[in-house]
Amino acid sequence: MKLATIRTTAGTEAVRVDGDTATEVGARDVGALLADPRWRERAEAADGPLRRVGTLNYAPVVPRPGKIVCVGLNYRTHIQEMGRELPAYPTLFAKFPEALIGPYDDLVLPASPTPSTGRPSWRWCWASGTPCRRGQRASAIAGYAVLNDVSMRDWQFRTGEWLQGKTFEATAPFGPHLVTTTRWRPTRGSSANSTAR
């Protein structure tokens, strides 16, 4: 099943996408839908108003997540490109919800005294509507989406902490769809290296 959050004249709405049709599921967005313990049944049974996919205005698939935790230095060629040693442990960084935009929205790059060094980095993202504690990750995953982690490298490398270059407002396209675990699961070699909850 594919889910999305769309913009409407009344705000936002969660939809189930089937081919070229989107069906409203009765939640303000996918994050609100996932907060319902029966979200899957609710989305599958939805029979709300229909919309043509070609006319949709996509919002971030989960517009207001409580946490966005990303894994940096997440593949060998990227680590080598940056001239770094392979890390013994994952390098984590956060993004703030204000960084999120819809998948087709314009990026807002900051004015900078140096040429812009905004660099896209596509990441698989997994979403959960329930708390996720140690050892529960797989059962808490509702589905997967794509998040574009646009980094301002000139800001990111000013110090050893990356946050200042990773979470500029309106610089992280997220979506368009959350593909549920009933439709797709990562295989060996794929990675889910950002989380939105």
Side-chain angles (χ1 to χ4, degrees), residues 116-136:
S116 176
T117 54
R119 178 172 185 247
S121 176
W122 293 99
R123 300 184 185 282
W124 287 113
C125 179
W126 59 270
S128 169
T130 60
C132 183
R133 304 287 185 249
R134 296 179 193 261
Q136 297 175 324

Side-chain angles (χ1 to χ4, degrees), residues 52-173:
R52 304 285 299 163
V53 168
T55 66
L56 299 179
N57 179 358
Y58 289 98
V61 70
V62 179
R64 292 171 292 280
K67 295 177 188 168
I68 306 169
V69 181
C70 304
V71 180
L73 300 176
N74 52 350
Y75 54 97
R76 184 179 297 273
T77 56
H78 181 51
I79 295 168
Q80 291 169 338
E81 162 192 298
M82 297 177 67
R84 298 197 178 210
E85 298 289 324
L86 294 176
Y89 300 98
T91 303
L92 302 177
F93 63 91
K95 282 193 158 312
F96 300 140
E98 292 80 9
L100 300 178
I101 58 177
Y104 307 113
D105 293 348
D106 292 334
L107 290 171
V108 179
L109 296 177
S112 175
T114 60
S116 176
T117 54
R119 178 172 185 247
S121 176
W122 293 99
R123 300 184 185 282
W124 287 113
C125 179
W126 59 270
S128 169
T130 60
C132 183
R133 304 287 185 249
R134 296 179 193 261
Q136 297 175 324
R137 184 175 118 170
S139 64
I141 296 173
Y144 301 90
V146 174
L147 184 141
N148 187 347
D149 166 32
V150 177
S151 303
M152 304 315 135
R153 297 285 195 216
D154 51 344
W155 285 82
Q156 179 181 345
F157 296 128
R158 287 182 174 188
T159 71
E161 296 297 325
W162 293 0
L163 183 66
Q164 60 189 333
K166 289 289 194 176
T167 195
F168 276 75
E169 190 171 327
T171 58

